[in-house]
Amino acid sequence: MRIILLIILFLFPFSLEGEASYGESNHQFQFSVVPIVGSETVKFELFIKNNEESPLNFEFPTSQYYEITVTDQSGHEVYRYSKGRFFLQALQTIKIEPHKTYRKVELWDYQLHGKRVPAGEYIVSATLLPRKINDKPISNNQTLLSKTKFTLQ
């Protein structure tokens, strides 16, 4: 099953639900979150694909490059990636070469207040948090967001 998923991701990495494409400010890239549900954890794979002919440099104000939140069917937040974490307060940069993909993986153990969340449908939202792309500021109202649903058994 895992091999089939990897083949699908490599052949069609951004045809999955949860993709967000950005073409504003002359920067062409795709940002997506893919949840891979396991029995004890869900793996959130985050992808940034550079669709340009030149490198993209994403500048971040801290070592937190993204935020991940999970909500239940009624909209209550059950997980926040940054909760209880500390991030380096210094400029960080990710350089993505033309037509290449940056990939990062985060895990969640289904815990909320020390207990496993119940089975059901959840929504994962991933927000990319750069302040500049190729030295051009991101506007305050521009949200780089990818959302998708997953089911926990």
Side-chain angles (χ1 to χ4, degrees):
M1 178 68 176
R2 191 175 268 278
I3 293 173
I4 293 170
L5 179 61
L6 288 174
I7 291 170
I8 290 169
L9 286 174
F10 283 114
L11 294 177
F12 309 102
F14 297 100
S15 62
L16 301 171
E17 183 178 303
E19 171 188 339
S21 297
Y22 301 93
E24 298 179 17
S25 306
N26 297 322
H27 301 303
Q28 300 291 322
F29 66 94
Q30 293 169 302
F31 174 58
S32 60
V33 59
V34 178
I36 301 172
V37 178
S39 60
E40 299 300 319
T41 60
V42 60
K43 183 188 323 184
F44 299 119
E45 293 190 341
L46 297 118
F47 299 94
I48 307 169
K49 183 177 182 199
N50 179 356
N51 294 323
E52 292 197 359
E53 299 298 325
S54 58
L56 284 176
N57 292 294
F58 291 82
E59 182 181 298
F60 300 87
T62 71
S63 61
Q64 182 182 12
Y65 299 162
Y66 45 80
E67 181 65 87
I68 302 168
T69 58
V70 177
T71 55
D72 62 17
Q73 292 174 329
S74 51
H76 294 103
E77 186 176 286
V78 296
Y79 172 75
R80 178 170 291 271
Y81 166 73
S82 62
K83 187 175 181 178
R85 296 177 190 247
F86 297 94
F87 298 97
L88 180 65
Q89 301 297 306
L91 294 179
Q92 308 284 310
T93 302
I94 296 173
K95 181 179 182 178
I96 306 172
E97 295 296 333
H99 305 288
K100 298 292 182 188
T101 301
Y102 173 85
R103 176 182 174 263
K104 193 74 176 159
V105 175
E106 298 296 340
L107 301 174
W108 174 45
D109 62 3
Y110 306 125
Q111 297 295 306
L112 175 64
H113 307 301
K115 295 182 181 177
R116 184 181 168 100
V117 295
E121 191 172 270
Y122 293 86
I123 297 172
V124 58
S125 301
T127 305
L128 194 60
L129 302 173
R131 73 176 204 168
K132 292 181 181 179
I133 301 175
N134 286 358
D135 294 324
K136 293 185 178 154
I138 300 290
S139 66
N140 288 340
N141 60 356
Q142 185 178 9
T143 302
L144 308 178
L145 176 70
S146 178
K147 278 185 165 182
T148 192
K149 294 179 183 179
F150 67 95
T151 302
L152 176 59
Q153 301 296 322

